Amino acid sequence: MSQAHYRSWPFKEAFKLQQRYAEPPAAPVKFETGFGPSGLPHIGTFAEVARTTWVRQAFEFQTCWPTELIAFSDDMDGLRKVPLNMPQQQMLKENIGKPLCQIPDPFGECESYSGYMNQKLKQFLDSYGFDYTFQSSQEAYARGDFNAGLTTILQKVEAIKSIILPTLSEEKRRNWSPFFPVCESCGRINSTRVTAYHVESNTIDYVCDQEDGPLQSCRHHGTASIFNGKVKVGWKVDWALRWFAYDIGYEMYGKDLIESAKLSGRITRAMGKQPPSGIFCELFLDEDGRKISKSVGKGLTIDSWTTYAPLGSLLYYIFQNPKQAKRLYWGIVPKSVDDYLTGLKQYPALEREKQPDSPIWHLFNKGEQVPVYGSSINFSLINNLISAVGADDRALVMEYLKRYDPGLSACQDIVTDLVDKAMSYYRDFVLPLKRYRNPTDSEKKMLGQLRQDLAACDISDDNALQTMPFSVARMFEVQPGDFFKMFYEVIFGQERGPRFGTFVQLVGKDKALSMLDEKMDSV
């Protein structure tokens, strides 16, 4: 099978990127991800870096060309509003309009607001083992990385305006400029307005007079060089500037940035280069279907997921169809873990040439570090077991699981980690909500019949175990759903639980009988 014909989406993206080059490039092919440091890194940041990494790995695999991933932080951007989840709200409000790199750190730990966020981004990416080169916008501007591109923008300012102005309201067209000078008087960047361009000296004239809500101005008039961080360019132009300056070959983006990407691509072409290849990805939503906001902090976080479920399961979930919106709440986690475990279990049986089409190949460094998982135990079963027996003892849970699957020793580390995470979830979210109730006299009779049938049953007979509760419900003329609800409330202290047969096989007949005895003896 030709490497170009792998069907997984990272290979399709990699093949598309390869077509940009008539021959192997002299320098590493550059991939980029962008980070807006107005808030903490979140699931969207994680997903963008992970997905870009998968495309990068597929590209390396099919070309053997060197690559580099640049994680770019736009810390020269001006603060437009105060995030609701930040301390020192008044201080931040007073700094509206200033570059994020010039605003004090509200947490008091770093030299600036963006310094704190950039530190968190690097810690975040390092903790998950991503390979990347961090690049600060402030440092890039100050170092002169963008000077050649800024000269080109100044020379072609009218062409760039002809691209952007038709997309703006009539009111915004009047004062729009690709350049945002940093006011030398008040330090703000969002309050300045360009009044003249001087191509011969690479300077621009400006006035600081733009005000909008909390954004204030100082009315200063000045002239600024376009070089070395005295100005920055606006978002869509800034994106094109990075692509131009760093020869970015690939960058993906959220669905909400499709139009921005198109405009940035047109600007890049106007500057004389080709925009990168890329793909748009759908958004991450909270349980109610709303876009997750880093300034508000809603939705399941990465820390929450990895506290209660393995990282591999999150990566597996993110890998699936990036053009499909994904909700992030606990309800989707157990199934995601089970899908991930199924992928692990099936991977060794795949023919070698088909392995790169499995998500597992991409998750584990081109298939080089795939852990072995051959157990029939999944995460849902572990969660149900812990919840049913109320166990907060890893050794006890593992004993039950080994009874159910004596062969799990080959993947014991994975199962132990699953147990630890499931117990954390049980302690934090299930145990506080458990509400046991005593059975009524008629319910005791039903439970007594169930106990009698179980005592006489060979639990190796799966069919007999699974049909037993239905037979009892039919004998007492109650709906099976009502019988199971009663059983779970009385025995487990909750409205739902594991399948009866699976539960008995996990804990053993003696334990199941003793649990029934305990409830039938209750007053």
Side-chain angles (χ1 to χ4, degrees):
M1 181 184 291
S2 168
Q3 291 176 355
H5 294 126
Y6 286 123
R7 290 174 295 176
S8 59
W9 68 263
F11 273 102
K12 292 179 180 179
E13 288 299 295
F15 184 68
K16 191 169 63 177
L17 171 59
Q18 188 179 354
Q19 304 314 297
R20 291 169 53 90
Y21 303 95
E23 57 185 27
V29 175
K30 291 184 172 65
F31 294 70
E32 182 181 54
T33 64
F35 171 59
S38 59
L40 292 166
H42 59 107
I43 187 67
T45 314
F46 178 86
E48 185 175 321
V49 176
R51 287 166 170 164
T52 304
T53 296
W54 295 326
V55 176
R56 179 189 180 190
Q57 289 178 166
F59 182 80
E60 290 174 341
F61 182 76
Q62 67 184 21
T63 64
C64 297
W65 297 350
T67 66
E68 179 184 11
L69 171 58
I70 298 173
F72 193 95
S73 170
D74 190 10
D75 53 8
M76 274 284 286
D77 195 23
L79 182 66
R80 291 171 173 76
K81 63 179 181 178
V82 178
L84 300 177
N85 56 353
M86 292 291 156
Q88 299 201 49
Q89 295 274 303
Q90 184 57 39
M91 180 276 288
L92 293 176
K93 184 177 180 181
E94 292 168 0
N95 282 279
I96 289 284
K98 291 184 180 180
L100 296 167
C101 58
Q102 299 299 327
I103 299 173
D105 174 14
F107 297 94
E109 296 181 15
C110 295
E111 76 284 357
S112 67
Y113 183 108
S114 63
Y116 177 87
M117 299 301 174
N118 288 341
Q119 174 182 274
K120 292 299 181 184
L121 173 68
K122 288 183 280 189
Q123 291 173 349
F124 177 77
L125 298 181
D126 290 344
S127 67
Y128 296 111
F130 289 117
D131 174 36
Y132 68 97
T133 300
F134 174 78
Q135 181 56 63
S136 153
S137 176
Q138 175 196 20
E139 293 173 356
Y141 271 99
R143 191 169 55 227
D145 291 9
F146 297 146
N147 285 354
L150 291 167
T151 299
T152 302
I153 291 171
L154 183 58
Q155 292 170 346
K156 300 191 175 186
V157 68
E158 292 305 320
I160 292 171
K161 288 173 74 173
S162 71
I163 294 171
I164 296 295
L165 292 185
T167 69
L168 303 177
S169 66
E170 186 174 344
E171 180 183 355
K172 291 183 177 179
R173 290 178 195 175
R174 210 167 27 247
N175 295 321
W176 188 87
S177 167
F179 294 99
F180 282 76
V182 180
C183 179
E184 59 186 344
S185 175
C186 70
R188 287 182 171 81
I189 196 169
N190 292 357
S191 58
T192 55
R193 172 174 58 90
V194 175
T195 56
Y197 302 94
H198 306 292
V199 175
E200 67 285 353
S201 61
N202 288 310
T203 60
I204 53 177
D205 296 338
Y206 70 92
V207 59
C208 179
D209 66 353
Q210 300 299 290
E211 297 187 349
D212 182 16
L215 175 64
Q216 301 299 307
S217 65
C218 69
R219 304 291 168 175
H220 175 75
H221 292 253
T223 298
S225 166
I226 63 170
F227 295 149
N228 304 106
K230 304 301 182 185
V231 308
K232 84 177 293 285
V233 290
W235 152 234
K236 299 177 183 69
V237 186
D238 196 84
W239 209 2
L241 179 61
R242 294 182 223 162
W243 294 347
F244 178 91
Y246 295 132
D247 289 318
I248 300 299
Y250 188 89
E251 180 159 2
M252 59 178 57
Y253 43 88
K255 181 182 178 181
D256 53 341
L257 297 180
I258 290 176
E259 292 306 314
S260 295
K262 289 179 180 177
L263 291 171
S264 297
R266 291 179 61 190
I267 294 169
T268 306
R269 291 188 184 94
M271 294 173 69
K273 290 190 178 181
Q274 283 293 108
S277 297
I279 185 176
F280 79 85
C281 298
E282 266 285 5
L283 305 177
F284 288 95
L285 311 175
D286 63 20
E287 187 170 4
D288 298 321
R290 293 188 293 263
K291 177 185 174 183
I292 289 177
S293 168
K294 64 183 177 183
S295 64
V296 177
K298 289 197 69 177
L300 187 68
T301 66
I302 299 173
D303 285 345
S304 294
W305 188 302
T306 55
T307 296
Y308 305 115
L311 172 63
S313 64
L314 174 58
L315 292 168
Y316 196 91
Y317 181 65
I318 289 172
F319 184 90
Q320 310 299 324
N321 193 357
K323 288 190 174 183
Q324 181 178 21
K326 289 177 170 56
R327 294 193 180 191
L328 286 169
Y329 60 99
W330 176 255
I332 58 95
V333 174
K335 182 181 184 303
S336 300
V337 180
D338 290 346
D339 290 344
Y340 163 66
L341 295 175
T342 299
L344 279 181
K345 190 173 180 180
Q346 293 174 345
Y347 185 80
L350 295 175
E351 297 176 21
R352 186 172 182 81
E353 65 271 18
K354 293 184 178 180
Q355 288 178 345
D357 278 330
S358 166
I360 298 299
W361 186 92
H362 297 272
L363 268 56
F364 291 100
N365 191 25
K366 305 172 202 172
E368 295 176 6
Q369 301 166 344
V370 179
V372 175
Y373 194 78
S375 176
S376 59
I377 292 169
N378 63 24
F379 197 50
S380 297
L381 183 146
I382 293 172
N383 277 291
N384 278 331
L385 171 64
I386 291 172
S387 180
V389 300
D392 195 12
D393 183 332
R394 179 208 285 173
L396 177 62
V397 175
M398 290 298 293
E399 180 183 329
Y400 287 142
L401 294 174
K402 287 176 182 176
R403 177 188 291 122
Y404 186 77
D405 181 5
L408 70 76
S409 57
C411 48
Q412 184 158 327
D413 288 347
I414 295 176
V415 176
T416 300
D417 181 58
L418 293 171
V419 168
D420 288 343
K421 292 182 182 302
M423 287 197 302
S424 294
Y425 186 79
Y426 172 76
R427 284 191 293 266
D428 293 346
F429 297 103
V430 178
L431 184 58
L433 299 178
K434 272 188 174 280
R435 298 291 184 270
Y436 292 94
R437 71 173 178 84
N438 292 325
T440 64
D441 289 342
S442 61
E443 289 170 344
K444 283 185 179 182
K445 291 179 182 178
M446 286 190 281
L447 293 174
Q449 183 63 51
L450 182 64
R451 189 207 184 283
Q452 179 180 323
D453 293 350
L454 176 58
C457 179
D458 176 3
I459 67 169
S460 64
D461 185 342
D462 289 344
N463 185 62
L465 276 179
Q466 297 297 1
T467 59
M468 191 179 299
F470 293 93
S471 298
V472 174
R474 188 164 53 250
M475 180 184 300
F476 285 86
E477 298 182 341
V478 298
Q479 291 296 318
D482 294 336
F483 178 83
F484 279 112
K485 183 173 183 294
M486 176 275 295
F487 178 81
Y488 294 141
E489 289 175 345
V490 171
I491 305 299
F492 302 149
Q494 56 201 46
E495 291 187 356
R496 297 179 182 85
R499 296 176 68 197
F500 179 75
T502 302
F503 168 70
V504 173
Q505 289 176 331
L506 276 165
V507 303
K509 181 190 287 190
D510 290 344
K511 174 65 174 177
L513 290 173
S514 69
M515 292 176 73
L516 286 165
D517 288 338
E518 180 183 346
K519 290 303 176 180
M520 288 189 297
D521 291 340
S522 60
V523 177

